[in-house]
Amino acid sequence: QVQLVESGGGLVQVGGSLRLSCAASGRTLSREALGWFRQAPGKEREFVAGISWSVGFTHYSDSVKGRFTISRDNAKNTLTLQMNSLKPEDTAVYSCAYRNREMIATMAGAYDYWGQGTQVTVSS
């Protein structure tokens, strides 16, 4: 069993920055993939970014590439998402997810555990 707890969401103006964190417990992360997904009201959950925990390989959706950075802290078992140049369309509930495979996946169904989510609101 893996528990994921997100933090760092909030309200920010267009062009601002936020940093999300996801603390993982229940297992020492090694050969897994973790990802960030988001879901806006009335829309399907979408992949934002993912990281292969052991080698640090990353993958981003086109909509956030160049603005968001995913990273991990092995010692703290923590995943982060640095979000810069935020836009109103980035408004959503952001959730971190754990996959018991090393390869990053962009489909939500490929992930085994999820955090409760944290709200990010970008005001114009």
Side-chain angles (χ1 to χ4, degrees):
Q1 190 80 3
V2 175
Q3 293 80 41
L4 303 171
V5 179
E6 302 96 337
S7 61
L11 175 65
V12 65
Q13 291 187 333
V14 169
S17 299
L18 278 176
R19 184 178 179 89
L20 305 183
S21 295
C22 174
S25 61
R27 184 177 300 178
T28 299
L29 301 178
S30 56
R31 295 183 180 276
E32 297 94 344
L34 272 77
W36 286 99
F37 287 75
R38 66 187 182 186
Q39 187 167 22
K43 295 188 177 181
E44 292 188 356
R45 182 178 288 176
E46 65 169 341
F47 172 83
V48 175
I51 188 166
S52 177
W53 200 263
S54 61
V55 297
F57 179 78
T58 59
H59 179 65
Y60 298 90
S61 69
D62 289 341
S63 62
V64 307
K65 196 175 296 182
R67 299 188 298 123
F68 291 11
T69 303
I70 188 172
S71 61
R72 87 265 196 242
D73 185 325
N74 288 346
K76 296 181 178 179
N77 248 25
T78 299
L79 177 74
T80 62
L81 184 69
Q82 178 65 43
M83 306 185 295
N84 298 328
S85 302
L86 284 161
K87 305 175 181 180
E89 52 263 43
D90 294 319
T91 296
V93 174
Y94 285 70
S95 300
C96 64
Y98 167 99
R99 182 170 193 248
N100 192 22
R101 296 287 187 275
E102 206 163 359
M103 183 177 294
I104 299 167
T106 59
M107 295 181 63
Y111 289 78
D112 304 295
Y113 298 100
W114 292 81
Q116 82 286 353
T118 184
Q119 177 70 45
V120 171
T121 303
V122 184
S123 64
S124 56

